[in-house]
Amino acid sequence: MKKNKKMEYTIVDVRTVDEFRGGNVAGSINIPLQEVVEREAEIMALKQPVLFCCLSGGRSGQATQYFKAKGLDCENGGGWLEVNAKMNG
């Protein structure tokens, strides 16, 4: 995610439901990584660009790679705390 570029993203947090409940970016959507393939149509229909996040960037990186190959306008935002700071800071 570019620091100086102000864009509107749909934020998809790919952590588990329990992790998401423990804290998340306001307005983000929780779709755990293990569900992204079965919920592909839902994700592809989201307002783009999509910014994936997780705890450290690993799982969101996997989701980003998968959906970029499908033609989705998306980026790996990395950890949700970083995304939260950039979006709301």
Side-chain angles (χ1 to χ4, degrees):
M1 183 170 64
K2 293 151 190 78
K3 289 181 184 179
N4 298 330
K5 192 173 182 185
K6 187 71 175 167
M7 286 187 77
E8 292 295 319
Y9 290 94
T10 299
I11 302 170
V12 176
D13 190 322
V14 296
R15 295 177 298 148
T16 65
V17 172
D18 285 341
E19 286 176 297
F20 186 79
R21 285 186 186 140
N24 57 72
V25 179
S28 63
I29 301 166
N30 181 221
I31 301 177
L33 183 62
Q34 56 271 30
E35 296 178 16
V36 296
V37 173
E38 67 191 52
R39 295 176 69 179
E40 180 179 322
E42 178 185 345
I43 294 169
M44 294 296 288
L46 292 172
K47 183 176 182 280
Q48 296 180 27
V50 172
L51 187 67
F52 290 103
C53 67
C54 61
L55 183 61
S56 66
R59 288 174 281 181
S60 55
Q62 292 175 49
T64 301
Q65 184 176 25
Y66 178 82
F67 283 100
K68 275 191 181 285
K70 299 284 184 179
L72 184 72
D73 181 6
C74 61
E75 288 187 44
N76 180 3
W80 77 271
L81 287 169
E82 299 165 41
V83 172
N84 193 50
K86 289 176 184 172
M87 299 301 263
N88 301 310

